[in-house]
Amino acid sequence: MTVTEDRTPEREVAPIRELTPRELLRWGWRQLTSMRTALILLLLLALAAVPGSLIPQENLDSVKTSNWQAAHTTLAPIYRKLGLFDVYGTPWFAAVYILLMISLIGCIVPRLGVYWRGLRSQPPAAPRNLLRLPEATSYTTSASVEEVSARARAVLRRKRYRLRRASTSTLEGAGEVSAERGYLREAGNLVFHIAVIVVLVGFAVGSLFGYKGGVIVLQGDQYGFSNELTQYDDFDPGSLFRPSMLNWFNLHIHDFHVDWIDSGPRQGMARGFRSDLRYQTSPNGPTKSYDLEVNHPLDIGGTEVFLIGHGYAPEITVRDGQGNIVSSGPAVFLPEDQSFLSFGVVKPPSGQISLEGLFYPSEVTLPNGQPVNVTGDIGDGSDAVLSLQVWKGDNGLANGPQSIYSLDTSKMTQVTAPGGKAFNLRKGQTVTLPDGLGSVTFDGITRWNKLQISQTPFKHVALGGVVLALLGLLGSLFIRSRRVWVRARETTEGTLVEVAVLDRSGGDEMAAVVAGLVAALQGRPEEEPE
Amino acid sequence: MSTHAWESLSNQAVAAAGVIYFLALLSHLVEWSALIGRRSAVAERKVLVGPAGAESSVPSSTEAPVDSEGAVGTSGSSGEDERATRAELFGRLGYLLTCIAVACHVVAIASRGFAAGRVPWGNMYEFTLAGTGIVAAVYVLLYRRLKLSWMAPAVVAFVLVFLMVAVLVLYTPVEPLTEALNSYWLVIHVISAALATGAFTLGGIASAMYLLKRRRPDTQTGWMARVPDLPVLDRVAYRIHAFGFPIWTFAVLISGPIWAHQAWGSYWNWDPKEVWAFITWVVYAGYLHARATAGWKGRNAAILALVGVATLWFNFIGINYFSTTSMHSYAAPAHVAAAAPAVPEALR
């Protein structure tokens, strides 16, 4: 191996003249991959992420976003043009992180080469004038040059420095030791930067090819869900997702348990809930069962099923004036609060009436006649009350799709119950509507589960990348990299020993390192163990 | 002991800790005022003895305050002597009181945990209680090792203010955890977030001190004279940040996403808390990057560190008042959010 000088190449300063396109490109590339640009891009990324946290985002909460847009008629179109309702999907946000990634790659590749060469080469020879280095000292000793050099080699080797083999000095008759340690610091640094790219790739694949969907499934073997696009209530695919990527399975909720809190300030809320899920992964495959819980998802061949909510669906039968059933079965009511006071609507596709109302799983009437809900625990259902407002007229269902959780009453008139506005029913009760409009029956109660079903390809790549990044980070922060030179030469007063340290990591107290080295060289106990 | 007994013990311990922190702060302020008193004395001496004499009385930054006080005291008047003793006495008293307050603080956190039958950081009140406790405990533990006496008034004032905010604004009675929080990831995630928050806060205080000291680096009087030299401050700030950053990385980018994935089905949801935690991460990454490569030391780095600490605390408290999007209500029917496993209150 030849002895080479390892010095960071200084940037050539070209005379000022017109740049050729090639040079311009080179210049642009250098600018993009410079540390300063990387730093600016990093801070720009932080800045670009801010609006998304302050303005409602369409894919996070579409209801809130449309409300906000309705309330801000001047700002909304401008914001929409700028993509501020979907910040993390806009081209300008993508531009920042793509530029950052290119800058990162442009930064890493040359550094890999430099690092590789640095690993193979020896620690650099001592500079001519050691005492000019910021951290340097000298002392005179009676030991010979050879003794000092040998001792320095032993001390530095013990401190796990890598030593330069050749010891020919630039100065006549002097003994020189060059040593370096902390090679892994730069390795950690490179690992960190590569890992960041791995994370970005993992994240990008996950959000481009993945999807996230939600569905409400009623409890009972007769209900269920099969993994098809049409079965989802809401579906949020990545931009490169194709429906063929959905894998085949079906599931149903056989049983469902809720653990209610029955004392304390949160009395009546659910502490935990668990579904006894049955599923099939192929049309003729066996039916398997799984206890689905929050924090305990089911993984079906890369598609994960999460239990994220639950509630009640009162079974309501609506009959018209002739006694024909126009609507029947469970209607999903959505919880309004933690005690599962729920709101829902029934919109029969035919017939004149529609219903909207509240469901009290466990109702108590206050002395002033006000009904309140005590707990979400429905017990045997004897305290459950369905309080319905009945509307007559066009529910708009014929005009196209609309939310099944709200009723547009603008073209309807209310049918009031005698003595009040709402019709209150207990389980099993039927109320006959005035004017021969028919009747409403509260047959029973079914529970429902809100499931989130998602596929996030490459999620383990992203996780592995972050863990790798953390390890690299630890290396780059806490491994100390420094070079040490010791030169001994004969003078009239004895052997003059010069010791110099070059800190390559920053943030260290080099004076203490120098003092420790000198102490070790002189055979004194070190004050500060290094 | 019953839940209620533990809870009231916790509340009483918080009150006691608050009072004692306040006394500690007073004591440090007395110490400080005694140091300010020295200004005239030294200035006087400067005039009398001239530059050479003034130089001899310059206390070395790493020297214990006692020594510098003593050095001045022996050559100064008896009134000055008295002041020096007073500064020393109240400095020690302040530290002692802080230690007692931290003990009460720890009792408060622990009994809160016993009351709830779980780790005591399930909501904002508990997180602030634990976070300030960590800041104070780290300060007390590192006091001698890093010679942090110069930091005393700032740390005690910070802890006291945030503890008061916790009691007055954020207080909630002991509650059991909601389902999504019922995970061992809560322990891992929140403890690392709190630890990093404590470290970044101390680092931020050191950086603020740096900027203050930088305006008059040669001050030889008053409290600022006891603040270490600029390079030492810069290095202390860097070390604290370098300690906090990997922990923050773990909290925000490893344990957070793992838990989010388990509880909400998606490891990164771009919701405001996550976004701001990420912003904080990016700012501190920029801080370390700038120091390592762009050679930003001192002022620029300190400013960046303060930006970082601002985003950190904005994320913790401020975002709740600004954000218009509720956490994780991404399920299409908005009402289901209420039924969905509630978002950790510590995050709201």
Side-chain angles (χ1 to χ4, degrees):
Chain A
M1 199 155 75
T2 51
V3 178
T4 50
E5 280 268 334
D6 175 38
R7 287 232 175 99
T8 41
E10 279 176 34
R11 203 157 276 180
E12 302 135 38
V13 183
I16 299 163
R17 59 183 168 80
E18 199 87 349
L19 292 173
T20 65
R22 201 186 134 94
E23 281 172 332
L24 192 70
L25 222 63
R26 234 174 105 93
W27 177 83
W29 176 251
R30 271 208 184 153
Q31 289 299 307
L32 183 62
T33 57
S34 78
M35 289 294 179
R36 177 193 274 277
T37 313
L39 201 59
I40 290 171
L41 283 172
L42 201 59
L43 295 179
L44 209 59
L45 184 67
L47 206 62
V50 172
S53 71
L54 302 178
I55 300 165
Q57 297 292 292
E58 213 129 52
N59 54 346
L60 287 185
D61 191 341
S62 51
V63 177
K64 212 150 229 164
T65 310
S66 47
N67 287 347
W68 194 93
Q69 286 167 345
H72 300 77
T73 43
T74 12
L75 276 180
I78 303 170
Y79 277 22
R80 180 168 290 286
K81 275 217 175 93
L82 293 172
L84 288 177
F85 297 114
D86 182 21
V87 166
Y88 309 110
T90 53
W92 52 265
F93 190 74
V96 176
Y97 67 72
I98 288 173
L99 279 177
L100 187 64
M101 209 163 138
I102 294 171
S103 161
L104 211 58
I105 293 170
C107 198
I108 294 170
V109 172
R111 278 176 78 174
L112 276 174
V114 169
Y115 181 63
W116 177 245
R117 283 194 296 278
L119 264 190
R120 291 165 57 95
S121 66
Q122 297 207 25
R128 201 171 173 78
N129 197 342
L130 274 185
L131 295 181
R132 248 188 230 156
L133 286 165
E135 291 301 338
T137 187
S138 67
Y139 64 94
T140 320
T141 173
S142 56
S144 71
V145 169
E146 285 71 33
E147 280 170 359
V148 171
S149 293
R151 183 159 190 93
R153 289 186 155 264
V155 164
L156 289 168
R157 197 166 283 137
R158 205 179 61 227
K159 288 172 184 285
R160 289 185 288 122
Y161 278 82
R162 179 195 278 196
L163 297 178
R164 183 184 173 90
R165 233 191 290 159
S167 57
T168 42
S169 171
T170 42
L171 294 172
E172 201 68 26
E176 236 175 54
V177 179
S178 305
E180 182 163 0
R181 60 169 278 175
Y183 286 84
L184 280 177
R185 182 189 182 86
E186 175 67 3
N189 205 351
L190 290 169
V191 165
F192 173 76
H193 286 87
I194 293 169
V196 168
I197 294 178
V198 172
V199 173
L200 285 175
V201 168
F203 185 77
V205 170
S207 37
L208 286 175
F209 294 95
Y211 73 88
K212 188 163 72 180
V215 62
I216 285 177
V217 181
L218 292 163
Q219 181 206 331
D221 294 345
Q222 69 272 37
Y223 306 107
F225 167 84
S226 52
N227 195 23
E228 289 157 27
L229 218 48
T230 50
Q231 296 243 332
Y232 283 93
D233 295 339
D234 56 281
F235 196 77
D236 178 19
S239 40
L240 296 179
F241 174 84
R242 299 284 168 273
S244 59
M245 293 176 189
L246 289 173
N247 54 348
W248 196 96
F249 67 86
N250 66 32
L251 56 83
H252 64 263
I253 295 156
H254 179 67
D255 205 358
F256 180 68
H257 309 276
V258 184
D259 179 14
W260 298 101
I261 297 167
D262 32 49
S263 66
R266 284 202 177 179
Q267 184 183 358
M269 297 179 192
R271 180 187 288 124
F273 41 100
R274 186 175 79 249
S275 281
D276 179 2
L277 197 75
R278 303 289 158 92
Y279 68 101
Q280 270 182 305
T281 52
S282 60
N284 300 314
T287 302
K288 298 173 215 168
S289 77
Y290 187 85
D291 277 342
L292 191 66
E293 284 176 83
V294 172
N295 283 329
H296 188 49
L298 165 67
D299 189 335
I300 307 174
T303 304
E304 285 171 298
V305 180
F306 300 83
L307 177 58
I308 60 170
H310 63 107
Y312 294 107
E315 293 156 22
I316 301 166
T317 302
V318 182
R319 288 182 175 82
D320 64 12
Q322 284 76 48
N324 303 317
I325 295 176
V326 291
S327 155
S328 76
V332 171
F333 274 47
L334 302 176
E336 296 273 284
D337 61 23
Q338 297 262 31
S339 78
F340 287 84
L341 173 66
S342 308
F343 174 85
V345 300
V346 177
K347 292 190 274 193
S350 63
Q352 283 191 298
I353 58 161
S354 296
L355 314 170
E356 77 175 358
L358 290 170
F359 176 67
Y360 298 79
S362 172
E363 188 258 8
V364 166
T365 310
L366 294 180
N368 63 8
Q370 189 74 31
V372 289
N373 190 47
V374 187
T375 158
D377 187 359
I378 200 158
D380 60 358
S382 56
D383 291 328
V385 168
L386 193 55
S387 176
L388 295 172
Q389 295 191 350
V390 179
W391 296 83
K392 186 175 74 174
D394 179 16
N395 59 22
L397 212 57
N399 303 335
Q402 47 172 276
S403 168
I404 59 163
Y405 301 109
S406 64
L407 181 66
D408 178 12
T409 56
S410 57
K411 291 178 188 160
M412 307 183 89
T413 50
Q414 189 166 6
V415 181
T416 50
K421 279 192 166 184
F423 296 87
N424 290 333
L425 291 114
R426 287 182 185 273
K427 203 169 83 175
Q429 287 183 336
T430 300
V431 63
T432 308
L433 301 175
D435 310 327
L437 284 168
S439 68
V440 176
T441 309
F442 177 17
D443 300 307
I445 300 143
T446 302
R447 291 171 187 274
W448 55 261
N449 280 183
K450 167 94 184 176
L451 302 181
Q452 178 163 303
I453 299 170
S454 64
Q455 215 174 47
T456 322
F458 271 42
K459 61 173 186 275
H460 295 297
V461 172
L463 178 63
V466 185
V467 172
L468 203 64
L470 183 62
L471 293 177
L473 185 69
L474 289 173
S476 76
L477 284 177
F478 298 118
I479 293 175
R480 284 152 186 200
S481 167
R482 64 177 79 110
R483 288 176 179 163
V484 171
W485 293 282
V486 179
R487 176 183 287 146
R489 64 167 182 263
E490 302 278 0
T491 60
T492 45
E493 285 111 72
T495 306
L496 176 70
V497 184
E498 295 168 335
V499 180
V501 177
L502 183 65
D503 177 27
R504 304 187 75 207
S505 33
D508 277 340
E509 284 176 89
M510 281 301 125
V513 175
V514 173
L517 272 175
V518 169
L521 285 176
Q522 294 178 334
R524 286 186 281 120
E526 294 177 46
E527 285 146 22
E528 250 180 279
E530 260 299 326
Chain B
M1 269 167 86
S2 71
T3 299
H4 284 291
W6 281 118
E7 187 175 358
S8 58
L9 173 65
S10 171
N11 293 346
Q12 284 159 6
V14 169
V19 169
I20 301 170
Y21 277 129
F22 181 63
L23 291 177
L25 182 63
L26 282 183
S27 160
H28 280 303
L29 290 178
V30 172
E31 176 198 8
W32 189 6
S33 70
L35 288 172
I36 288 171
R38 268 187 63 215
R39 176 182 308 208
S40 54
V42 173
E44 211 174 284
R45 270 169 43 77
K46 266 190 188 171
V47 175
L48 288 177
V49 188
E55 232 162 63
S56 70
S57 74
V58 173
S60 132
S61 60
T62 47
E63 223 175 322
V66 192
D67 300 343
S68 58
E69 302 296 337
V72 175
T74 47
S75 53
S77 65
S78 66
E80 212 173 305
D81 219 358
E82 205 176 279
R83 272 208 204 96
T85 335
R86 195 169 63 198
E88 187 201 333
L89 185 71
F90 277 94
R92 282 189 178 170
L93 182 65
Y95 178 66
L96 188 70
L97 285 170
T98 312
C99 290
I100 299 172
V102 167
C104 292
H105 204 148
V106 168
V107 168
I109 297 168
S111 52
R112 182 84 184 179
F114 288 130
R118 56 170 166 82
V119 282
W121 41 78
N123 52 43
M124 287 263 291
Y125 169 71
E126 290 169 4
F127 186 88
T128 313
L129 196 63
T132 49
I134 283 175
V135 171
V138 168
Y139 156 77
V140 162
L141 292 178
L142 294 182
Y143 182 83
R144 278 181 199 285
R145 192 150 173 216
L146 292 185
K147 301 187 179 85
L148 291 181
S149 58
W150 54 273
M151 227 189 216
V155 173
V156 175
F158 175 86
V159 169
L160 183 62
V161 166
F162 272 81
L163 201 59
M164 279 188 342
V165 168
V167 171
L168 296 177
V169 183
L170 305 171
Y171 182 79
T172 37
V174 169
E175 289 170 343
L177 285 177
T178 40
E179 180 76 5
L181 281 173
N182 215 343
S183 161
Y184 56 86
W185 284 106
L186 171 75
V187 185
I188 299 168
H189 176 66
V190 181
I191 211 168
S192 50
L195 208 60
T197 303
F200 285 149
T201 304
L202 286 180
I205 290 176
S207 297
M209 290 289 193
Y210 179 94
L211 291 178
L212 284 178
K213 176 98 177 177
R214 194 175 165 276
R215 295 172 66 180
R216 283 171 57 198
D218 299 325
T219 308
Q220 278 139 30
T221 58
W223 183 43
M224 282 319 273
R226 294 179 49 191
V227 174
D229 284 341
L230 288 176
V232 177
L233 267 180
D234 194 43
R235 196 160 54 224
V236 166
Y238 170 73
R239 283 190 174 169
I240 300 178
H241 284 118
F243 167 76
F245 187 68
I247 302 177
W248 185 249
T249 306
F250 176 76
V252 168
L253 299 179
I254 297 182
S255 66
I258 290 178
W259 188 19
H261 180 259
Q262 277 195 0
W264 303 316
S266 170
Y267 62 79
W268 192 261
N269 301 293
W270 288 115
D271 77 48
K273 283 278 172 189
E274 285 175 357
V275 169
W276 278 90
F278 175 68
I279 290 171
T280 304
W281 187 86
V282 166
V283 171
Y284 280 115
Y287 169 85
L288 294 177
H289 197 285
R291 288 196 64 116
T293 58
W296 274 20
K297 290 203 171 186
R299 180 172 156 270
N300 288 353
I303 290 174
L304 206 52
L306 288 184
V307 171
V309 97
T311 62
L312 182 73
W313 283 97
F314 175 74
N315 188 22
F316 183 55
I317 295 171
I319 191 73
N320 303 317
Y321 301 102
F322 281 90
S323 165
T324 49
T325 313
S326 69
M327 281 282 290
H328 301 280
S329 46
Y330 43 73
H335 302 292
V336 177
V343 156
E345 280 177 25
L347 298 174
R348 282 199 187 181

